[in-house]
Amino acid sequence: MGTINRGLIILGVLIAHCGFTSSLLFANEGVSSSTPKIETEINAQEVKPAVSKKWNFNSAALLPIQNGGRVKPLDSFARETILFVTGSRTFKGWDPVEMLLSWIAEPYRWQGMDFIRIDREDVKRQIGLDVKSKYFSPKILFHDSHLGQYADEITARTQNLKPGEKLSERDQELKRVLDRLMTFRAVVSGELLTVLPAAEAAPDNWQSLLTTSEEDKILSAGKGYQKVLEAFHRGVQSDFDGAVLSLIELSKTWGESVHPARLKAEVIYSRYRPFMWAWIFYFVAGITLVFARFVKSPGNLGKDHPILVKIGFSSAILAFLLHSFGFALRCYVAGRPPVTNMYESIVWVGLGTMFFAGAIYISQRQNILITIGATLSALCLIVADAAPSVMDPGLHPLVPVLRSNYWLTIHVLTITLGYAALALTLGIANVTLFEFFKDRAGASLRIQNLNQLTYRAMQFGVVLLAAGTILGGVWADYSWGRFWGWDPKEVWALIALLGYVAILHMRYTNWVGQFGFAAWSVISFLLVVMAWYGVNFVLGVGLHSYGFASGGQGTVAIASVIQIAWVTLVAIRVRSKKISKKTV
Amino acid sequence: MKTSEDGSEKSSDSIWSKIGHRLFIFLSTMQLGNIVLVLLTLALIVATVLESRFDTPTAQFWVYRAFWFYIVLGLLGINIFVVAISRFPWKKHHTPFLLAHSGILVLLFGSWLTFQFGLDGSMRIKEGEVSDVVEVNEPKLIIYYNPSSNTLGQDSPAENKGNKSAEKIIQIPIPWRPPGFSFRPIQIPELGLTVDQYISRADSQFEFIEADTDGTEVKAEKKLPAFEIEISGGLMPMAQKFWVWLGSSQTRFVQAGPAKLFFFESGFKESVETEDNKLELGKYKDTKASTQGMFVFEWNRAKNTLDIWARSSRGEESKLELNPSQFESSKSIAVSGWKTEFKITRWIENAVPNTIYVPARVEYGPMAPSSAIHLISGKGGKGSEIWLGLGDRATLSFNGKDIVIGYQPMRVKLPFGIQLDKFEIERYEGTMNPKEYRSFVKVKDGENSSKESLPISMNEPLTYGGVTFYQSSYEEAEPRPVVSIFSVNKDPGRKWKYVGSIMLVLGIILLFAAKLKKNRVKKVGSVNK
């Protein structure tokens, strides 16, 4: 309890003395514009994003902050912080930047606001909170809960963890709640806001608002911030914008790590969310094209409805452009091809799937390819968007072994592009299975046709998978000095490759017929899922440890079981049909 | 091919040629290929699950380095080879097929070369030091002895060039095996030694044993009294046992739970070695300043008695005089005014320290300790024994002769040395996360030594004399020096692997391109019809 209590006292003191900022810098400067009135106001009224209705924070979003090993726009920092503390992207309609500024400017009000998220009921019960509520105020957590009692214990338990050991789910949540509270505190105190340029002595480390440095560069930046916060507090937009713009102008002199164009690109990337729009349009394309199949086209029976097809195609093209634009933007912001974690690779695989669907369409002219491609790409982007806790969408610095490595980039791009082509085979083969299941008139011709498409996509997939796996060997040789070391990631890439090579050989020797080929194409993709997701999230051993994470195991397992069940169902149906035909 | 095959069958009707023919047919079938593919896939899946469930050595033992796995790989190679041969005489349209499949053969051959002749180890160098020793992760029992002389250079016989001519070295590889897997004893007849026990994951324990006066023995400097004491009561919930030995300051001054134990020999001034100990003992005896309880044991060699003086944390004192024969009879001795009871459970007058190994509590995973072996001398009769943990080395006196035995990872000496001049870490701005780390080294090779420091970083290896050094890791230390860890590699199969890879990928691409062309032709044909 000790640390939290002490912290609260400090916080209280700071609030009382500094008025709207708790920064020591400002206190040193003697600009404490403290208003005694505020104290009587504490918790009197709820803080609402009132000013924001007329304001926009587009320029304040561009203020640079050094955080997580790089200089990023305040917008990104605010988004990450708000997402972490409240568990939601835009908490009750607040613009993240505004909410962050409001925390700093009016901390006394936020003390009583319910915004710190707790998900697990057992944790709420453990620390004596209302089980039904989702959000809790710092005041309640500090004073009216037993959280403090567990703080030291959790910290000690975390420190005593052996490598490979994990806290229990409940302890993890407890720790997360503590971290949320501490994050809020560290933002309010200014400690986390490393927004002032570096001092001469330590050119790599930016200074936080708590700095005591007297260097001109830092002092002028501090004054700039003071003006911004004062204007925010007064609620005059023109003053606020003026203060922000002059501070941004000033920040351009802080050295190379402030890259205005990149900051701008990052703000665009996170404000306009191109991937979200892309999946919406992919989804529209998929749905429209499915409809186009069933709506009778006037005059030309048996063909897809031409207008719906046109709508579907243009929607798919628009989605693909948005998707590519978002990807390019992310490349530019990160300064590297973004395929270093699960989130980035799933976005890239979605792009690749649509690309291969389009490429094969150009030679084969079959609408079904676009339908499947758009649906799969939508699925990829939805999955990437839906689980930010499992697949972290944040831009993070790379571990040394992944940095500026030509072979790594080539290897990962190639192998994941292979996954994309194979995802397309999965999609087409599933449609083939659907045809088998329905067994309508003329099905066999359609099945033959679809299998031909599956085979075509598989050819791309196998070439890329083989090349990617080998390029992985080249990278390993280049970085670690051995071509092949039976590392689980390498081995699973090989297993997936062997799976597809086996199918191709069985097809060649007629070991499998039309149905077998489609069925095995679906099943083999589970090997890809294992190589791609399973090694990092399920096995969790080996040299590719920089990509290890957890979460989503249940979902992936259920999806795999559904796939297998579906294939089995169709297999049973196909077999019973054969038998009934024979007996008749 | 077919005609010649038929011809040969006619010319010799022997069963062997029939079997040979059948075998050839069987080996060339795609069925075999498919079976091998499925087998290989299943084996690999099992291996990765083993690695995840247990650890890397376990997966290597059961699959990657198992004999049957090499057979599966060999079968794959043979199948591909025979299939390629069976298509002879080759035509132009066979090119993609041959390219892809012989690519695999070349890859396999390259891997075999690496396996047979390659070097894959690691090297640790402290900043400012030179090293030429590469450690390879293959445990070996190494025995140095000299049949003609009674003594050996004790520290490092391998580097001791003085009487090297007569010195013999026996090296026995002892590959790791998982816990519970049977171990067949290894005999070393020249020396009458036997490795009779193996513990895959071993925890070390310290004990004292009676010094042997005849036959084989572990060479020990000192034979001094030791006793094991069991303390119960007081603040300790359970009885605990501690060894106390006169031989070194660490074992003479023992922290036993909340109490301190001091052991010294009366009138034998040298036994109190360091000034610190003297001071501490004096402080406890004289000033009673400490709140800790303490036992002081004074061994009187002439009288053969042990004077025990105890003081509780509250300052109560008590005294006792015993001789070793009383240790056994008195079940436990309660010191008056002292709630704690103690009992001397073992007494050895001529004791030497001994490390033994027991199966570890943690058997798998990165936290599991390394292996240990147990050696005995003499053929079944009374002899001496010794435990060696991986990395341990001991000198044995063996029928009056010294031998040095070590259980160590294989060490390969390079013909040149590497000197680490400097180690640098670059971090991401505002964090402690490393961005890049880099070593600056000089090659030390007589006249060819490099004059300037050469960099080795994560993606920037250094090759010298066919050996490549990669930056793999580091151990930070404050104050410096830092230890830089390199992986050291010599791979004669590298070129083959690259050539094989290119052939394979090119072959697959051409195969599919050929299929595409065939389909086009078909389509055009059907349209014309």
Side-chain angles (χ1 to χ4, degrees):
Chain A
M1 196 71 198
T3 49
I4 293 193
N5 263 345
R6 212 174 311 125
L8 199 67
I9 292 162
I10 293 169
L11 199 64
V13 169
L14 287 171
I15 292 164
H17 289 283
C18 307
F20 69 92
T21 70
S22 39
S23 150
L24 286 178
L25 172 71
F26 298 172
N28 287 346
E29 290 284 291
V31 202
S32 67
S33 57
S34 103
T35 43
K37 218 178 79 191
I38 287 170
E39 301 213 9
T40 59
E41 264 182 11
I42 292 180
N43 304 327
Q45 60 199 98
E46 202 183 335
V47 208
K48 281 183 188 142
V51 273
S52 67
K53 299 300 169 220
K54 285 156 263 162
W55 285 33
N56 75 64
F57 291 87
N58 290 347
S59 43
L62 290 169
L63 287 167
I65 177 171
Q66 187 192 54
N67 174 266
R70 66 192 184 99
V71 171
K72 55 171 84 158
L74 192 64
D75 184 67
S76 298
F77 173 75
R79 270 168 208 283
E80 285 158 21
T81 310
I82 303 301
L83 178 65
F84 177 65
V85 174
T86 69
S88 117
R89 276 207 179 90
T90 48
F91 178 75
K92 292 186 176 165
W94 283 82
D95 183 304
V97 174
E98 186 197 358
M99 189 160 168
L100 192 81
L101 290 173
S102 175
W103 281 5
I104 308 164
E106 305 157 310
Y108 43 89
R109 291 184 166 190
W110 286 96
Q111 286 295 324
M113 281 276 288
D114 295 330
F115 66 95
I116 294 176
R117 181 152 169 174
I118 308 179
D119 285 320
R120 288 177 69 94
E121 276 192 16
D122 51 359
V123 170
K124 288 180 209 168
R125 220 171 287 130
Q126 187 182 356
I127 58 178
L129 294 173
D130 178 16
V131 178
K132 284 180 195 116
S133 307
K134 197 169 168 188
Y135 299 103
F136 300 88
S137 69
K139 195 180 152 219
I140 283 187
L141 290 175
F142 274 130
H143 290 302
D144 304 334
S145 82
H146 311 305
L147 185 64
Q149 214 167 296
Y150 298 102
D152 293 341
E153 197 186 321
I154 287 290
T155 319
R157 213 174 285 169
T158 314
Q159 280 165 354
N160 293 336
L161 280 181
K162 288 174 188 137
E165 236 179 11
K166 265 191 214 158
L167 286 176
S168 73
E169 296 264 323
R170 179 201 261 194
D171 285 353
Q172 278 180 29
E173 174 78 358
L174 210 55
K175 185 171 183 297
R176 208 173 299 128
V177 173
L178 275 169
D179 287 346
R180 284 176 172 153
L181 202 55
M182 291 304 142
T183 306
F184 171 68
R185 225 191 77 194
V187 169
V188 165
S189 73
E191 185 191 334
L192 211 56
L193 299 165
T194 36
V195 290
L196 306 179
E200 301 282 336
D204 280 345
N205 299 338
W206 282 31
Q207 299 294 312
S208 79
L209 286 178
L210 287 177
T211 187
T212 50
S213 168
E214 302 271 331
E215 278 174 42
D216 285 346
K217 194 163 78 170
I218 298 169
L219 281 182
S220 62
K223 275 180 194 146
Y225 257 96
Q226 195 181 318
K227 275 184 192 144
V228 170
L229 291 168
E230 273 176 344
F232 178 82
H233 192 63
R234 278 201 304 275
V236 185
Q237 163 131 53
S238 55
D239 288 4
F240 176 73
D241 283 350
V244 167
L245 288 176
S246 56
L247 187 56
I248 288 176
E249 212 44 54
L250 186 67
S251 73
K252 287 176 186 165
T253 64
W254 294 350
E256 278 174 25
S257 53
V258 182
H259 195 296
R262 261 192 193 161
L263 291 173
K264 198 157 200 169
E266 186 166 347
V267 171
I268 291 172
Y269 174 81
S270 40
R271 295 227 144 186
Y272 298 102
R273 303 184 65 193
F275 294 147
M276 183 191 72
W277 289 107
W279 76 249
I280 290 173
F281 282 111
Y282 277 135
F283 197 66
V284 168
I287 295 277
T288 328
L289 287 170
V290 170
F291 267 111
R293 172 137 291 203
F294 296 113
V295 174
K296 280 199 179 112
S297 82
N300 203 343
L301 275 169
K303 279 220 161 180
D304 297 352
H305 195 286
I307 296 169
L308 286 180
V309 167
K310 261 178 204 158
I311 294 172
F313 268 55
S314 24
S315 181
I317 290 169
L318 183 61
F320 185 71
L321 291 176
L322 280 167
H323 195 164
S324 314
F325 169 69
F327 195 80
L329 210 55
R330 198 175 165 106
C331 282
Y332 176 67
V333 172
R336 59 179 159 83
V339 278
T340 51
N341 62 25
M342 200 64 201
Y343 175 84
E344 292 175 340
S345 79
I346 206 164
V347 166
W348 168 246
V349 165
L351 192 66
T353 310
M354 193 61 216
F355 170 78
F356 284 117
I360 301 175
Y361 175 83
I362 287 170
S363 73
Q364 303 287 318
R365 299 277 154 192
Q366 305 223 24
N367 294 351
I368 189 80
L369 281 164
I370 303 298
T371 319
I372 293 168
T375 312
L376 285 172
S377 296
L379 217 61
C380 282
L381 291 179
I382 290 170
V383 167
D385 242 14
S389 60
V390 179
M391 287 171 286
D392 183 3
L395 282 159
H396 301 292
L398 296 177
V399 296
V401 72
L402 298 184
R403 282 191 72 252
S404 63
N405 190 322
Y406 175 74
W407 285 114
L408 166 79
T409 311
I410 303 273
H411 144 63
V412 178
L413 285 177
T414 313
I415 204 152
T416 40
L417 214 53
Y419 295 165
L422 295 171
L424 191 62
T425 69
L426 170 83
I428 306 170
N430 264 318
V431 173
T432 320
L433 290 181
F434 186 67
E435 290 285 351
F436 269 108
F437 186 77
K438 284 191 28 192
D439 196 24
R440 292 170 299 181
S444 74
L445 194 70
R446 271 204 295 278
I447 285 167
Q448 208 181 337
N449 190 19
L450 284 167
N451 268 347
Q452 194 57 39
L453 294 180
T454 309
Y455 180 59
R456 186 58 39 82
M458 199 183 289
Q459 287 180 333
F460 281 113
V462 166
V463 170
L464 289 166
L465 205 56
T469 308
I470 286 168
L471 285 167
V474 175
W475 171 45
D477 191 18
Y478 183 69
S479 283
W480 297 318
R482 92 274 181 298
F483 191 83
W484 190 265
W486 298 114
D487 176 72
K489 192 89 181 171
E490 296 171 350
V491 171
W492 269 100
L494 179 65
I495 290 172
L497 182 61
L498 288 175
Y500 282 99
V501 166
I503 297 177
L504 290 174
H505 280 88
M506 289 185 197
R507 183 180 181 271
Y508 183 74
T509 46
N510 285 327
W511 271 31
V512 290
Q514 299 280 10
F515 172 73
F517 181 68
W520 284 115
S521 305
V522 171
I523 298 293
S524 289
F525 193 75
L526 298 181
L527 300 177
V528 173
V529 170
M530 193 62 200
W532 184 14
Y533 167 87
V535 174
N536 296 14
F537 286 71
V538 180
L539 293 179
V541 284
L543 284 166
H544 289 68
S545 58
Y546 38 77
F548 289 172
S550 64
Q553 285 90 345
T555 320
V556 174
I558 289 168
S560 309
V561 169
I562 290 174
Q563 268 295 335
I564 293 171
W566 164 239
V567 172
T568 318
L569 181 74
V570 181
I572 291 167
R573 206 178 155 90
V574 167
R575 169 144 310 177
S576 67
K577 282 255 170 64
K578 260 187 199 162
I579 291 166
S580 67
K581 266 178 199 164
K582 265 183 200 165
T583 49
V584 168
Chain B
M1 190 71 192
K2 253 189 185 151
T3 50
S4 73
E5 200 67 36
D6 289 345
S8 64
E9 209 180 327
K10 270 173 203 165
S11 62
S12 66
D13 277 326
S14 79
I15 294 170
W16 289 114
S17 80
K18 261 186 191 168
I19 289 174
H21 182 67
R22 284 269 170 82
L23 191 67
F24 183 83
I25 296 287
F26 172 71
L27 287 175
S28 72
T29 52
M30 208 100 125
Q31 274 95 321
L32 178 68
N34 281 337
I35 289 165
V36 170
L37 273 182
V38 171
L39 264 181
L40 190 60
T41 309
L42 289 178
L44 294 177
I45 291 175
V46 168
T48 56
V49 171
L50 281 178
E51 182 157 5
S52 170
R53 174 72 185 75
F54 300 105
D55 47 20
T56 311
T58 308
Q60 285 178 337
F61 179 83
W62 290 110
V63 184
Y64 300 132
R65 288 186 187 169
F67 187 63
W68 65 268
F69 188 68
Y70 292 117
I71 291 183
V72 173
L73 283 181
L75 221 52
L76 179 71
I78 291 169
N79 178 243
I80 291 170
F81 181 72
V82 177
V83 168
I85 295 286
S86 70
R87 303 284 162 95
F88 196 81
W90 298 317
K91 301 212 175 73
K92 201 185 159 196
H93 72 266
H94 282 131
T95 320
F97 157 80
L98 283 172
L99 207 58
H101 289 81
S102 51
I104 296 173
L105 288 180
V106 173
L107 257 174
L108 286 174
F109 177 68
S111 307
W112 177 79
L113 279 180
T114 309
F115 176 71
Q116 282 294 320
F117 307 107
L119 168 70
D120 186 7
S122 68
M123 194 178 217
R124 301 161 50 91
I125 318 178
K126 257 190 202 164
E127 225 173 11
E129 290 185 359
V130 187
S131 172
D132 61 354
V133 177
V134 181
E135 229 170 57
V136 180
N137 190 17
E138 282 169 28
K140 277 194 170 178
L141 174 65
I142 305 169
I143 303 174
Y144 309 93
Y145 70 107
N146 193 333
S148 56
S149 159
N150 283 352
T151 52
L152 262 177
Q154 284 198 357
D155 296 327
S156 48
E159 286 102 63
N160 184 357
K161 278 162 186 146
N163 53 353
K164 216 186 164 186
S165 53
E167 210 169 89
K168 275 198 169 178
I169 300 175
I170 302 175
Q171 293 199 41
I172 301 161
I174 303 187
W176 188 84
R177 67 210 67 213
F181 193 79
S182 71
F183 176 75
R184 197 175 298 157
I186 300 167
Q187 310 275 353
I188 305 148
E190 298 98 305
L191 297 166
L193 280 171
T194 308
V195 185
D196 68 332
Q197 285 182 62
Y198 178 88
I199 303 180
S200 315
R201 303 294 195 188
D203 279 339
S204 63
Q205 280 182 1
F206 209 44
E207 60 160 31
F208 291 88
I209 52 166
E210 193 90 40
D212 239 356
T213 39
D214 56 320
T216 318
E217 70 175 49
V218 179
K219 267 224 148 182
E221 309 282 303
K222 300 164 187 166
K223 293 164 193 165
L224 288 167
F227 61 88
E228 189 186 47
I229 183 168
E230 188 184 287
I231 302 180
S232 58
L235 287 166
M236 281 174 289
M238 283 181 296
Q240 277 177 289
K241 283 183 175 180
F242 301 93
W243 271 104
V244 190
W245 182 52
L246 260 184
S248 80
S249 60
Q250 285 104 321
T251 55
R252 202 162 59 229
F253 294 79
V254 176
Q255 182 76 40
K260 278 205 165 182
L261 310 178
F262 296 131
F263 188 19
F264 65 96
E265 189 173 349
S266 58
F268 195 64
K269 284 277 176 272
E270 289 93 315
S271 68
V272 181
E273 270 168 3
T274 62
E275 283 300 307
D276 275 1
N277 291 339
K278 260 186 212 166
L279 270 175
E280 204 170 353
L281 187 63
K283 195 173 76 190
Y284 274 95
K285 273 197 119 169
D286 303 336
T287 66
K288 302 170 187 176
S290 170
T291 56
Q292 262 197 326
M294 67 183 292
F295 289 101
V296 177
F297 303 86
E298 191 172 341
W299 165 239
N300 192 322
R301 192 183 285 271
K303 275 162 69 187
N304 193 27
T305 54
L306 194 65
D307 285 335
I308 305 167
W309 175 87
R311 189 173 64 78
S312 77
S313 55
R314 272 174 278 137
E316 299 145 307
E317 288 183 35
S318 46
K319 263 191 148 180
L320 212 72
E321 194 186 288
L322 294 171
N323 68 53
S325 63
Q326 288 170 293
F327 296 155
E328 312 293 333
S329 57
S330 60
K331 282 245 178 225
S332 70
I333 305 154
V335 183
S336 62
W338 174 267
K339 277 181 184 169
T340 311
E341 292 190 343
F342 71 89
K343 179 186 168 189
I344 292 173
T345 45
R346 283 185 73 192
W347 170 264
I348 303 168
E349 197 172 331
N350 292 310
V352 286
N354 186 34
T355 307
I356 60 163
Y357 286 88
V358 293
R361 275 186 312 118
V362 188
E363 288 197 319
Y364 294 106
M367 294 303 292
S370 52
S371 58
I373 54 170
H374 185 249
L375 284 133
I376 49 167
S377 71
K379 284 149 198 158
K382 186 180 174 280
S384 165
E385 54 169 4
I386 186 170
W387 277 102
L388 289 176
L390 190 62
D392 286 354
R393 202 179 223 195
T395 309
L396 291 180
S397 176
F398 185 77
N399 297 334
K401 281 179 186 169
D402 279 358
I403 63 169
V404 173
I405 52 176
Y407 177 50
Q408 289 161 323
M410 188 167 91
R411 290 152 81 94
V412 177
K413 241 177 132 115
L414 296 176
F416 56 89
I418 297 287
Q419 176 181 320
L420 179 65
D421 288 338
K422 203 167 67 171
F423 182 81
E424 281 180 354
I425 307 176
E426 199 183 318
R427 296 175 201 281
Y428 280 106
E429 48 176 304
T431 69
M432 285 303 283
N433 302 334
K435 186 178 185 178
E436 184 99 70
Y437 37 96
R438 187 176 282 116
S439 300
F440 290 91
V441 300
K442 276 195 195 93
V443 177
K444 293 280 175 189
D445 187 13
E447 286 169 18
N448 297 329
S449 298
S450 49
K451 302 214 167 44
E452 281 164 38
S453 281
L454 307 163
I456 301 179
S457 73
M458 215 60 199
N459 296 310
E460 193 183 356
L462 169 78
T463 305
Y464 182 84
V467 182
T468 314
F469 298 83
Y470 300 83
Q471 183 73 57
S472 95
S473 179
Y474 61 91
E475 278 165 17
E476 244 179 326
E478 210 55 61
R480 295 171 92 94
V482 179
V483 175
S484 184
I485 302 168
F486 302 99
S487 69
V488 181
N489 203 281
K490 191 178 170 182
D491 188 358
R494 178 173 280 127
K495 277 176 209 150
W496 292 89
K497 288 183 207 165
Y498 279 87
V499 170
S501 303
I502 293 170
M503 286 168 69
L504 175 62
V505 174
L506 208 67
I508 298 177
I509 293 174
L510 287 177
L511 263 174
F512 290 150
K515 292 251 166 72
L516 215 67
K517 216 171 161 188
K518 227 198 259 171
N519 282 342
R520 284 245 169 84
V521 172
K522 249 192 220 163
K523 256 187 197 161
V524 171
S526 63
V527 165
N528 285 349
K529 269 178 198 171

